[in-house]
Every structure is written in C-alpha cells, then in structure tokens.
Amino acid sequence: MPGIRTAAQAKAWLEQQGKSVQEFAREHNVDPATTYQVLSGRKKGRRGESHKVAVLLGMKIGVIPHEAGSSELPED
C-alpha cells in the first residue's frame, strides 16, 4: 500500500522534519517511550496508544478515536 512507512522510513521522515522522537511525542500528546517502542518494533501498534503512534507516524492506516474525556464539541 502506498503511503505506509516502515520504521526506518518513519525515522527518516522525523529526521527530514528536524524533529526528535521526544518533540514528536510532545506535539502529539503521546508517550515518548511508546513512540520509541513502535519505531523499534517492540510494539506493533495494534491498540491503544501504540495504535495512535503508528497512525501518526504513517506506519499504519487507521482511525484515532477521540478520547473519552475530550470535550471538543462545537459551541452553539
């Protein structure tokens, strides 16, 4: 499938943007350790935060559901 990145491509993409894994994690409000684990292949990104990280890095096609505590409803 076009558009899906390998871990090496995701790392290169971050480098192209001049971002560290830490910066990426802060910008997307995800755990840096989980991000490193997805990039190293220790976590596959099947569910939870690792899924979110894999989708954000372009390593997986998927949907990131809104968090249960989030109140991003439009105002009237």
Side-chain angles (χ1 to χ4, degrees):
M1 284 183 166
I4 299 294
R5 294 183 179 115
T6 64
Q9 290 169 330
K11 289 176 193 176
W13 175 72
L14 285 173
E15 190 172 313
Q16 269 183 330
Q17 293 185 354
K19 291 183 186 177
S20 69
V21 172
Q22 294 283 333
E23 287 174 300
F24 174 85
R26 273 192 303 273
E27 286 177 12
H28 295 285
N29 198 29
V30 294
D31 180 44
T34 301
T35 307
Y36 280 112
Q37 290 168 346
V38 169
L39 285 168
S40 71
R42 286 192 303 270
K43 288 198 175 188
K44 305 298 179 199
R46 292 191 178 125
R47 61 188 70 84
E49 189 159 10
S50 65
H51 167 82
K52 181 178 178 179
V53 169
V55 172
L56 290 170
L57 286 170
M59 295 174 64
K60 176 180 181 178
I61 293 176
V63 176
I64 301 171
H66 288 324
E67 297 189 17
S70 178
S71 60
E72 295 180 16
L73 298 175
E75 294 183 21
D76 290 329

Short mmCIF file of all heavy atoms in Angstrom, two decimals:
data_model
loop_
_atom_site.label_atom_id
_atom_site.label_comp_id
_atom_site.label_asym_id
_atom_site.label_seq_id
_atom_site.Cartn_x
_atom_site.Cartn_y
_atom_site.Cartn_z
N MET A 1 0.83 -1.19 0.00
CA MET A 1 0.00 0.00 0.00
C MET A 1 0.87 1.25 0.00
O MET A 1 1.76 1.37 0.82
CB MET A 1 -0.86 0.04 1.26
CG MET A 1 -2.02 -0.88 1.27
SD MET A 1 -2.95 -0.60 2.80
CE MET A 1 -4.41 -1.46 2.35
N PRO A 2 0.60 2.16 -0.89
CA PRO A 2 1.38 3.39 -0.89
C PRO A 2 1.03 4.23 0.34
O PRO A 2 -0.10 4.24 0.80
CB PRO A 2 0.94 4.09 -2.18
CG PRO A 2 -0.36 3.49 -2.54
CD PRO A 2 -0.36 2.09 -1.97
N GLY A 3 2.03 4.93 0.85
CA GLY A 3 1.78 5.80 1.98
C GLY A 3 2.12 5.18 3.33
O GLY A 3 2.26 5.90 4.30
N ILE A 4 2.22 3.88 3.39
CA ILE A 4 2.58 3.23 4.65
C ILE A 4 4.10 3.27 4.78
O ILE A 4 4.83 2.88 3.87
CB ILE A 4 2.09 1.76 4.69
CG1 ILE A 4 0.59 1.70 4.57
CG2 ILE A 4 2.56 1.07 5.95
CD1 ILE A 4 -0.16 2.31 5.72
N ARG A 5 4.57 3.74 5.92
CA ARG A 5 6.01 3.82 6.14
C ARG A 5 6.50 2.64 6.96
O ARG A 5 5.82 2.16 7.85
CB ARG A 5 6.34 5.09 6.93
CG ARG A 5 6.08 6.36 6.22
CD ARG A 5 6.51 7.55 7.08
NE ARG A 5 6.28 8.78 6.38
CZ ARG A 5 5.42 9.70 6.75
NH1 ARG A 5 4.72 9.55 7.85
NH2 ARG A 5 5.25 10.79 6.04
N THR A 6 7.71 2.24 6.67
CA THR A 6 8.39 1.29 7.54
C THR A 6 8.96 2.08 8.71
O THR A 6 8.96 3.33 8.70
CB THR A 6 9.56 0.60 6.80
OG1 THR A 6 10.53 1.60 6.47
CG2 THR A 6 9.09 -0.12 5.55
N ALA A 7 9.45 1.38 9.72
CA ALA A 7 10.05 2.07 10.86
C ALA A 7 11.23 2.93 10.41
O ALA A 7 11.37 4.07 10.85
CB ALA A 7 10.49 1.06 11.92
N ALA A 8 12.04 2.41 9.51
CA ALA A 8 13.19 3.17 9.02
C ALA A 8 12.73 4.42 8.27
O ALA A 8 13.32 5.50 8.41
CB ALA A 8 14.06 2.30 8.11
N GLN A 9 11.66 4.30 7.49
CA GLN A 9 11.14 5.46 6.76
C GLN A 9 10.54 6.48 7.72
O GLN A 9 10.67 7.69 7.50
CB GLN A 9 10.09 5.02 5.75
CG GLN A 9 10.67 4.25 4.59
CD GLN A 9 9.62 3.60 3.73
OE1 GLN A 9 8.54 3.23 4.20
NE2 GLN A 9 9.92 3.43 2.45
N ALA A 10 9.88 6.01 8.78
CA ALA A 10 9.31 6.92 9.77
C ALA A 10 10.41 7.69 10.49
O ALA A 10 10.29 8.89 10.74
CB ALA A 10 8.45 6.15 10.77
N LYS A 11 11.50 7.00 10.82
CA LYS A 11 12.65 7.67 11.45
C LYS A 11 13.24 8.71 10.51
O LYS A 11 13.57 9.82 10.93
CB LYS A 11 13.72 6.65 11.84
CG LYS A 11 13.32 5.76 12.99
CD LYS A 11 14.40 4.71 13.24
CE LYS A 11 13.92 3.62 14.16
NZ LYS A 11 14.93 2.57 14.33
N ALA A 12 13.38 8.35 9.22
CA ALA A 12 13.91 9.28 8.23
C ALA A 12 12.98 10.48 8.06
O ALA A 12 13.44 11.62 7.91
CB ALA A 12 14.12 8.57 6.90
N TRP A 13 11.68 10.24 8.11
CA TRP A 13 10.68 11.31 7.99
C TRP A 13 10.83 12.29 9.15
O TRP A 13 10.81 13.50 8.94
CB TRP A 13 9.29 10.69 7.95
CG TRP A 13 8.16 11.66 7.94
CD1 TRP A 13 7.78 12.50 6.92
CD2 TRP A 13 7.26 11.92 9.02
NE1 TRP A 13 6.69 13.25 7.30
CE2 TRP A 13 6.36 12.90 8.59
CE3 TRP A 13 7.12 11.40 10.30
CZ2 TRP A 13 5.34 13.39 9.39
CZ3 TRP A 13 6.10 11.88 11.09
CH2 TRP A 13 5.22 12.86 10.65
N LEU A 14 10.99 11.76 10.37
CA LEU A 14 11.21 12.64 11.52
C LEU A 14 12.49 13.46 11.35
O LEU A 14 12.52 14.65 11.63
CB LEU A 14 11.29 11.82 12.82
CG LEU A 14 9.97 11.27 13.35
CD1 LEU A 14 10.23 10.34 14.54
CD2 LEU A 14 9.03 12.38 13.74
N GLU A 15 13.53 12.79 10.88
CA GLU A 15 14.81 13.48 10.67
C GLU A 15 14.68 14.57 9.61
O GLU A 15 15.23 15.66 9.76
CB GLU A 15 15.89 12.47 10.26
CG GLU A 15 17.28 13.06 10.27
CD GLU A 15 18.34 12.01 10.05
OE1 GLU A 15 18.28 10.95 10.69
OE2 GLU A 15 19.22 12.26 9.21
N GLN A 16 13.94 14.28 8.53
CA GLN A 16 13.71 15.28 7.47
C GLN A 16 13.03 16.52 8.03
O GLN A 16 13.31 17.63 7.58
CB GLN A 16 12.79 14.71 6.39
CG GLN A 16 13.48 14.03 5.26
CD GLN A 16 12.47 13.58 4.23
OE1 GLN A 16 11.33 13.27 4.53
NE2 GLN A 16 12.91 13.52 2.99
N GLN A 17 12.15 16.32 8.98
CA GLN A 17 11.43 17.43 9.59
C GLN A 17 12.25 18.12 10.67
O GLN A 17 11.82 19.14 11.21
CB GLN A 17 10.11 16.95 10.19
CG GLN A 17 9.14 16.47 9.16
CD GLN A 17 7.80 16.12 9.79
OE1 GLN A 17 7.64 16.13 11.00
NE2 GLN A 17 6.84 15.80 8.96
N GLY A 18 13.38 17.54 11.01
CA GLY A 18 14.23 18.10 12.05
C GLY A 18 13.63 17.92 13.44
O GLY A 18 13.85 18.75 14.32
N LYS A 19 12.88 16.84 13.62
CA LYS A 19 12.23 16.58 14.90
C LYS A 19 12.81 15.35 15.57
O LYS A 19 13.07 14.34 14.92
CB LYS A 19 10.74 16.33 14.72
CG LYS A 19 9.97 17.54 14.30
CD LYS A 19 8.50 17.22 14.22
CE LYS A 19 7.75 18.41 13.66
NZ LYS A 19 6.35 18.12 13.49
N SER A 20 12.97 15.44 16.86
CA SER A 20 13.36 14.27 17.64
C SER A 20 12.10 13.49 17.98
O SER A 20 10.98 14.00 17.85
CB SER A 20 14.06 14.70 18.92
OG SER A 20 13.14 15.33 19.79
N VAL A 21 12.27 12.28 18.45
CA VAL A 21 11.14 11.47 18.88
C VAL A 21 10.45 12.17 20.05
O VAL A 21 9.22 12.19 20.15
CB VAL A 21 11.60 10.04 19.26
CG1 VAL A 21 10.47 9.25 19.90
CG2 VAL A 21 12.13 9.32 18.03
N GLN A 22 11.24 12.77 20.92
CA GLN A 22 10.68 13.50 22.07
C GLN A 22 9.78 14.65 21.61
O GLN A 22 8.68 14.84 22.15
CB GLN A 22 11.81 14.04 22.95
CG GLN A 22 12.64 12.98 23.62
CD GLN A 22 11.95 12.36 24.81
OE1 GLN A 22 11.12 12.99 25.45
NE2 GLN A 22 12.29 11.13 25.11
N GLU A 23 10.25 15.42 20.64
CA GLU A 23 9.45 16.54 20.13
C GLU A 23 8.16 16.05 19.49
O GLU A 23 7.09 16.62 19.71
CB GLU A 23 10.25 17.34 19.09
CG GLU A 23 11.35 18.18 19.65
CD GLU A 23 12.17 18.82 18.56
OE1 GLU A 23 12.76 18.08 17.74
OE2 GLU A 23 12.20 20.06 18.53
N PHE A 24 8.27 15.00 18.69
CA PHE A 24 7.09 14.41 18.05
C PHE A 24 6.07 13.98 19.11
O PHE A 24 4.88 14.27 18.99
CB PHE A 24 7.50 13.20 17.19
CG PHE A 24 6.34 12.45 16.61
CD1 PHE A 24 5.75 12.85 15.42
CD2 PHE A 24 5.83 11.33 17.26
CE1 PHE A 24 4.67 12.17 14.90
CE2 PHE A 24 4.75 10.63 16.75
CZ PHE A 24 4.17 11.06 15.56
N ALA A 25 6.54 13.31 20.13
CA ALA A 25 5.65 12.82 21.18
C ALA A 25 4.97 13.98 21.91
O ALA A 25 3.76 13.93 22.17
CB ALA A 25 6.44 11.96 22.17
N ARG A 26 5.72 15.03 22.21
CA ARG A 26 5.13 16.20 22.88
C ARG A 26 4.06 16.85 22.00
O ARG A 26 2.99 17.20 22.48
CB ARG A 26 6.20 17.23 23.23
CG ARG A 26 6.87 17.00 24.55
CD ARG A 26 7.70 18.21 24.98
NE ARG A 26 8.72 18.60 24.00
CZ ARG A 26 9.94 18.10 23.95
NH1 ARG A 26 10.33 17.17 24.82
NH2 ARG A 26 10.80 18.51 23.04
N GLU A 27 4.37 17.03 20.72
CA GLU A 27 3.44 17.68 19.80
C GLU A 27 2.13 16.92 19.67
O GLU A 27 1.08 17.52 19.44
CB GLU A 27 4.07 17.81 18.41
CG GLU A 27 5.12 18.88 18.33
CD GLU A 27 5.76 18.93 16.95
OE1 GLU A 27 5.25 18.30 16.01
OE2 GLU A 27 6.79 19.61 16.83
N HIS A 28 2.20 15.59 19.78
CA HIS A 28 1.01 14.76 19.56
C HIS A 28 0.43 14.20 20.86
O HIS A 28 -0.49 13.38 20.83
CB HIS A 28 1.34 13.63 18.59
CG HIS A 28 1.67 14.15 17.22
ND1 HIS A 28 0.71 14.60 16.35
CD2 HIS A 28 2.85 14.31 16.59
CE1 HIS A 28 1.29 15.01 15.23
NE2 HIS A 28 2.59 14.85 15.36
N ASN A 29 0.99 14.65 21.97
CA ASN A 29 0.49 14.25 23.29
C ASN A 29 0.48 12.73 23.46
O ASN A 29 -0.53 12.13 23.87
CB ASN A 29 -0.91 14.84 23.54
CG ASN A 29 -1.28 14.83 24.99
OD1 ASN A 29 -0.41 14.89 25.86
ND2 ASN A 29 -2.55 14.72 25.28
N VAL A 30 1.60 12.11 23.10
CA VAL A 30 1.76 10.66 23.27
C VAL A 30 3.02 10.40 24.09
O VAL A 30 3.89 11.26 24.21
CB VAL A 30 1.84 9.90 21.92
CG1 VAL A 30 0.53 9.98 21.17
CG2 VAL A 30 2.97 10.42 21.05
N ASP A 31 3.11 9.21 24.64
CA ASP A 31 4.24 8.83 25.47
C ASP A 31 5.48 8.61 24.62
O ASP A 31 5.44 7.84 23.66
CB ASP A 31 3.88 7.56 26.23
CG ASP A 31 4.99 7.08 27.13
OD1 ASP A 31 5.59 7.92 27.82
OD2 ASP A 31 5.24 5.86 27.15
N PRO A 32 6.59 9.30 24.94
CA PRO A 32 7.82 9.11 24.16
C PRO A 32 8.31 7.65 24.17
O PRO A 32 8.77 7.15 23.15
CB PRO A 32 8.84 10.02 24.84
CG PRO A 32 8.03 11.02 25.58
CD PRO A 32 6.75 10.33 25.96
N ALA A 33 8.18 6.97 25.30
CA ALA A 33 8.64 5.58 25.38
C ALA A 33 7.84 4.69 24.42
O ALA A 33 8.40 3.84 23.74
CB ALA A 33 8.52 5.05 26.80
N THR A 34 6.55 4.93 24.34
CA THR A 34 5.71 4.16 23.40
C THR A 34 6.13 4.45 21.97
O THR A 34 6.19 3.55 21.13
CB THR A 34 4.22 4.50 23.60
OG1 THR A 34 3.85 4.19 24.94
CG2 THR A 34 3.34 3.73 22.65
N THR A 35 6.45 5.70 21.69
CA THR A 35 6.89 6.08 20.34
C THR A 35 8.18 5.36 19.97
O THR A 35 8.30 4.80 18.88
CB THR A 35 7.07 7.61 20.25
OG1 THR A 35 5.86 8.24 20.69
CG2 THR A 35 7.38 8.04 18.83
N TYR A 36 9.14 5.33 20.90
CA TYR A 36 10.38 4.60 20.65
C TYR A 36 10.10 3.11 20.44
O TYR A 36 10.71 2.47 19.57
CB TYR A 36 11.36 4.75 21.82
CG TYR A 36 12.12 6.05 21.83
CD1 TYR A 36 11.89 7.00 22.82
CD2 TYR A 36 13.09 6.34 20.88
CE1 TYR A 36 12.59 8.19 22.86
CE2 TYR A 36 13.80 7.52 20.90
CZ TYR A 36 13.55 8.44 21.89
OH TYR A 36 14.25 9.62 21.90
N GLN A 37 9.18 2.54 21.22
CA GLN A 37 8.87 1.11 21.11
C GLN A 37 8.22 0.79 19.77
O GLN A 37 8.50 -0.25 19.17
CB GLN A 37 7.97 0.68 22.27
CG GLN A 37 8.71 0.68 23.59
CD GLN A 37 7.79 0.54 24.79
OE1 GLN A 37 6.58 0.69 24.68
NE2 GLN A 37 8.38 0.27 25.95
N VAL A 38 7.34 1.66 19.27
CA VAL A 38 6.73 1.44 17.96
C VAL A 38 7.81 1.52 16.88
O VAL A 38 7.85 0.67 15.98
CB VAL A 38 5.59 2.45 17.71
CG1 VAL A 38 5.13 2.40 16.26
CG2 VAL A 38 4.42 2.19 18.65
N LEU A 39 8.68 2.51 16.98
CA LEU A 39 9.74 2.67 15.97
C LEU A 39 10.73 1.51 15.98
O LEU A 39 11.32 1.18 14.95
CB LEU A 39 10.48 3.99 16.18
CG LEU A 39 9.72 5.23 15.74
CD1 LEU A 39 10.41 6.49 16.26
CD2 LEU A 39 9.57 5.27 14.23
N SER A 40 10.91 0.88 17.13
CA SER A 40 11.87 -0.23 17.21
C SER A 40 11.22 -1.58 16.90
O SER A 40 11.91 -2.58 16.78
CB SER A 40 12.51 -0.29 18.60
OG SER A 40 11.55 -0.72 19.55
N GLY A 41 9.89 -1.60 16.83
CA GLY A 41 9.19 -2.85 16.54
C GLY A 41 8.80 -3.64 17.77
O GLY A 41 8.21 -4.72 17.65
N ARG A 42 9.11 -3.13 18.96
CA ARG A 42 8.73 -3.85 20.18
C ARG A 42 7.22 -3.80 20.41
O ARG A 42 6.66 -4.68 21.02
CB ARG A 42 9.48 -3.32 21.39
CG ARG A 42 10.93 -3.76 21.42
CD ARG A 42 11.61 -3.47 22.74
NE ARG A 42 11.56 -2.06 23.10
CZ ARG A 42 12.47 -1.15 22.77
NH1 ARG A 42 13.51 -1.51 22.05
NH2 ARG A 42 12.34 0.10 23.15
N LYS A 43 6.58 -2.72 19.93
CA LYS A 43 5.12 -2.63 19.96
C LYS A 43 4.64 -2.54 18.53
O LYS A 43 5.21 -1.82 17.71
CB LYS A 43 4.66 -1.41 20.76
CG LYS A 43 4.87 -1.57 22.24
CD LYS A 43 4.04 -0.60 23.02
CE LYS A 43 4.21 -0.91 24.50
NZ LYS A 43 3.29 -0.13 25.32
N LYS A 44 3.58 -3.28 18.22
CA LYS A 44 3.10 -3.37 16.85
C LYS A 44 2.07 -2.31 16.48
O LYS A 44 1.73 -2.16 15.31
CB LYS A 44 2.48 -4.76 16.60
CG LYS A 44 3.42 -5.90 16.91
CD LYS A 44 4.65 -5.87 16.04
CE LYS A 44 5.58 -7.01 16.40
NZ LYS A 44 6.93 -6.80 15.94
N GLY A 45 1.53 -1.61 17.45
CA GLY A 45 0.54 -0.58 17.14
C GLY A 45 -0.85 -1.14 16.90
O GLY A 45 -1.60 -0.61 16.10
N ARG A 46 -1.17 -2.19 17.58
CA ARG A 46 -2.47 -2.84 17.36
C ARG A 46 -3.62 -2.15 18.08
O ARG A 46 -4.75 -2.17 17.61
CB ARG A 46 -2.41 -4.30 17.78
CG ARG A 46 -1.52 -5.09 16.86
CD ARG A 46 -1.66 -6.58 17.10
NE ARG A 46 -0.83 -7.29 16.15
CZ ARG A 46 0.09 -8.16 16.51
NH1 ARG A 46 0.29 -8.45 17.78
NH2 ARG A 46 0.81 -8.75 15.59
N ARG A 47 -3.37 -1.58 19.25
CA ARG A 47 -4.44 -0.93 20.01
C ARG A 47 -3.85 0.10 20.97
O ARG A 47 -2.64 0.12 21.20
CB ARG A 47 -5.28 -1.96 20.77
CG ARG A 47 -4.50 -2.78 21.79
CD ARG A 47 -5.32 -3.92 22.38
NE ARG A 47 -5.58 -4.99 21.43
CZ ARG A 47 -4.75 -5.98 21.17
NH1 ARG A 47 -3.59 -6.06 21.79
NH2 ARG A 47 -5.06 -6.90 20.30
N GLY A 48 -4.75 0.92 21.48
CA GLY A 48 -4.34 1.91 22.48
C GLY A 48 -3.38 2.96 21.94
O GLY A 48 -3.45 3.36 20.77
N GLU A 49 -2.49 3.38 22.81
CA GLU A 49 -1.57 4.46 22.44
C GLU A 49 -0.59 4.05 21.36
O GLU A 49 -0.22 4.87 20.52
CB GLU A 49 -0.82 4.97 23.67
CG GLU A 49 -0.05 6.22 23.36
CD GLU A 49 0.30 7.05 24.57
OE1 GLU A 49 0.11 6.59 25.71
OE2 GLU A 49 0.77 8.18 24.37
N SER A 50 -0.19 2.80 21.34
CA SER A 50 0.74 2.37 20.29
C SER A 50 0.06 2.44 18.91
O SER A 50 0.70 2.76 17.91
CB SER A 50 1.30 0.98 20.56
OG SER A 50 0.29 -0.01 20.51
N HIS A 51 -1.24 2.18 18.86
CA HIS A 51 -2.00 2.32 17.61
C HIS A 51 -1.98 3.79 17.17
O HIS A 51 -1.71 4.09 16.01
CB HIS A 51 -3.45 1.84 17.82
CG HIS A 51 -4.38 2.23 16.71
ND1 HIS A 51 -4.45 1.52 15.54
CD2 HIS A 51 -5.24 3.26 16.60
CE1 HIS A 51 -5.35 2.10 14.74
NE2 HIS A 51 -5.84 3.16 15.37
N LYS A 52 -2.25 4.67 18.12
CA LYS A 52 -2.25 6.11 17.83
C LYS A 52 -0.90 6.56 17.28
O LYS A 52 -0.82 7.27 16.28
CB LYS A 52 -2.60 6.89 19.10
CG LYS A 52 -2.66 8.38 18.92
CD LYS A 52 -3.06 9.06 20.22
CE LYS A 52 -3.07 10.57 20.08
NZ LYS A 52 -3.47 11.24 21.32
N VAL A 53 0.18 6.11 17.92
CA VAL A 53 1.53 6.47 17.48
C VAL A 53 1.81 5.96 16.07
O VAL A 53 2.31 6.69 15.22
CB VAL A 53 2.59 5.95 18.48
CG1 VAL A 53 3.99 6.08 17.92
CG2 VAL A 53 2.47 6.68 19.81
N ALA A 54 1.46 4.70 15.82
CA ALA A 54 1.70 4.11 14.49
C ALA A 54 0.95 4.86 13.41
O ALA A 54 1.49 5.11 12.32
CB ALA A 54 1.32 2.63 14.50
N VAL A 55 -0.28 5.25 13.68
CA VAL A 55 -1.07 6.01 12.70
C VAL A 55 -0.44 7.39 12.49
O VAL A 55 -0.28 7.83 11.34
CB VAL A 55 -2.54 6.12 13.15
CG1 VAL A 55 -3.32 7.08 12.25
CG2 VAL A 55 -3.21 4.74 13.15
N LEU A 56 -0.08 8.06 13.56
CA LEU A 56 0.52 9.40 13.44
C LEU A 56 1.84 9.38 12.69
O LEU A 56 2.17 10.33 11.98
CB LEU A 56 0.71 10.01 14.82
CG LEU A 56 -0.57 10.42 15.56
CD1 LEU A 56 -0.27 10.78 17.01
CD2 LEU A 56 -1.26 11.57 14.84
N LEU A 57 2.60 8.31 12.85
CA LEU A 57 3.89 8.18 12.15
C LEU A 57 3.72 7.72 10.71
O LEU A 57 4.68 7.70 9.95
CB LEU A 57 4.80 7.21 12.90
CG LEU A 57 5.40 7.71 14.19
CD1 LEU A 57 6.07 6.56 14.94
CD2 LEU A 57 6.40 8.83 13.93
N GLY A 58 2.51 7.33 10.34
CA GLY A 58 2.26 6.87 8.97
C GLY A 58 2.67 5.42 8.77
O GLY A 58 2.81 4.98 7.64
N MET A 59 2.84 4.69 9.86
CA MET A 59 3.24 3.29 9.76
C MET A 59 2.04 2.37 9.66
O MET A 59 2.19 1.17 9.47
CB MET A 59 4.08 2.91 10.99
CG MET A 59 5.39 3.65 11.07
SD MET A 59 6.29 3.34 12.61
CE MET A 59 6.63 1.59 12.46
N LYS A 60 0.85 2.94 9.78
CA LYS A 60 -0.37 2.15 9.77
C LYS A 60 -1.51 3.05 9.32
O LYS A 60 -1.55 4.23 9.67
CB LYS A 60 -0.63 1.64 11.20
CG LYS A 60 -1.89 0.88 11.38
CD LYS A 60 -2.02 0.45 12.83
CE LYS A 60 -3.30 -0.35 12.99
NZ LYS A 60 -3.47 -0.85 14.34
N ILE A 61 -2.42 2.48 8.55
CA ILE A 61 -3.64 3.20 8.21
C ILE A 61 -4.64 2.90 9.30
O ILE A 61 -4.84 1.75 9.67
CB ILE A 61 -4.18 2.77 6.84
CG1 ILE A 61 -3.22 3.21 5.75
CG2 ILE A 61 -5.57 3.36 6.61
CD1 ILE A 61 -3.62 2.76 4.37
N GLY A 62 -5.24 3.92 9.84
CA GLY A 62 -6.21 3.69 10.90
C GLY A 62 -6.86 4.99 11.34
O GLY A 62 -6.54 6.07 10.86
N VAL A 63 -7.77 4.84 12.26
CA VAL A 63 -8.51 5.97 12.81
C VAL A 63 -8.09 6.15 14.26
O VAL A 63 -7.93 5.18 14.99
CB VAL A 63 -10.03 5.69 12.74
CG1 VAL A 63 -10.82 6.80 13.40
CG2 VAL A 63 -10.46 5.49 11.30
N ILE A 64 -7.92 7.38 14.64
CA ILE A 64 -7.59 7.69 16.03
C ILE A 64 -8.88 8.18 16.68
O ILE A 64 -9.34 9.29 16.37
CB ILE A 64 -6.49 8.76 16.13
CG1 ILE A 64 -5.23 8.27 15.42
CG2 ILE A 64 -6.20 9.09 17.58
CD1 ILE A 64 -4.17 9.31 15.27
N PRO A 65 -9.47 7.37 17.53
CA PRO A 65 -10.73 7.79 18.16
C PRO A 65 -10.51 8.94 19.14
O PRO A 65 -9.43 9.07 19.71
CB PRO A 65 -11.21 6.53 18.90
CG PRO A 65 -9.99 5.70 19.07
CD PRO A 65 -9.03 6.06 17.97
N HIS A 66 -11.55 9.76 19.30
CA HIS A 66 -11.48 10.84 20.29
C HIS A 66 -11.39 10.22 21.66
O HIS A 66 -11.98 9.18 21.92
CB HIS A 66 -12.71 11.72 20.23
CG HIS A 66 -12.76 12.59 19.02
ND1 HIS A 66 -11.66 13.16 18.45
CD2 HIS A 66 -13.80 12.99 18.26
CE1 HIS A 66 -12.01 13.87 17.41
NE2 HIS A 66 -13.31 13.78 17.26
N GLU A 67 -10.67 10.86 22.54
CA GLU A 67 -10.53 10.36 23.90
C GLU A 67 -11.83 10.57 24.65
O GLU A 67 -12.53 11.57 24.43
CB GLU A 67 -9.37 11.04 24.60
CG GLU A 67 -8.05 10.72 23.91
CD GLU A 67 -6.87 11.20 24.69
OE1 GLU A 67 -7.00 11.47 25.89
OE2 GLU A 67 -5.79 11.28 24.09
N ALA A 68 -12.17 9.66 25.53
CA ALA A 68 -13.44 9.69 26.25
C ALA A 68 -13.64 10.98 27.04
O ALA A 68 -14.73 11.51 27.10
CB ALA A 68 -13.54 8.49 27.19
N GLY A 69 -12.60 11.52 27.62
CA GLY A 69 -12.71 12.72 28.43
C GLY A 69 -12.65 14.01 27.63
O GLY A 69 -12.76 15.09 28.17
N SER A 70 -12.49 13.90 26.34
CA SER A 70 -12.35 15.07 25.49
C SER A 70 -13.68 15.77 25.29
O SER A 70 -14.69 15.13 25.08
CB SER A 70 -11.76 14.65 24.14
OG SER A 70 -11.66 15.76 23.30
N SER A 71 -13.68 17.09 25.36
CA SER A 71 -14.92 17.84 25.14
C SER A 71 -14.73 18.78 23.95
O SER A 71 -14.73 19.98 24.09
CB SER A 71 -15.30 18.62 26.40
OG SER A 71 -14.27 19.52 26.72
N GLU A 72 -14.56 18.21 22.78
CA GLU A 72 -14.34 19.01 21.59
C GLU A 72 -15.62 19.14 20.78
O GLU A 72 -15.65 19.00 19.57
CB GLU A 72 -13.25 18.36 20.72
CG GLU A 72 -11.90 18.34 21.39
CD GLU A 72 -10.85 17.71 20.52
OE1 GLU A 72 -11.06 17.56 19.32
OE2 GLU A 72 -9.79 17.35 21.06
N LEU A 73 -16.72 19.43 21.46
CA LEU A 73 -17.99 19.62 20.78
C LEU A 73 -18.09 21.07 20.31
O LEU A 73 -17.66 21.98 21.01
CB LEU A 73 -19.15 19.29 21.72
CG LEU A 73 -19.21 17.86 22.23
CD1 LEU A 73 -20.35 17.73 23.24
CD2 LEU A 73 -19.43 16.90 21.09
N PRO A 74 -18.68 21.27 19.14
CA PRO A 74 -18.83 22.65 18.67
C PRO A 74 -19.78 23.43 19.57
O PRO A 74 -20.74 22.89 20.09
CB PRO A 74 -19.39 22.50 17.26
CG PRO A 74 -19.88 21.11 17.15
CD PRO A 74 -19.20 20.30 18.23
N GLU A 75 -19.48 24.71 19.72
CA GLU A 75 -20.34 25.57 20.53
C GLU A 75 -21.45 26.13 19.67
O GLU A 75 -21.27 26.40 18.50
CB GLU A 75 -19.51 26.70 21.14
CG GLU A 75 -18.49 26.21 22.14
CD GLU A 75 -17.75 27.37 22.78
OE1 GLU A 75 -18.24 28.50 22.76
OE2 GLU A 75 -16.65 27.11 23.29
N ASP A 76 -22.62 26.34 20.27
CA ASP A 76 -23.77 26.90 19.53
C ASP A 76 -23.68 28.40 19.49
O ASP A 76 -23.28 29.08 20.31
CB ASP A 76 -25.09 26.48 20.19
CG ASP A 76 -25.34 24.99 19.98
OD1 ASP A 76 -24.91 24.46 18.96
OD2 ASP A 76 -25.98 24.39 20.86
#
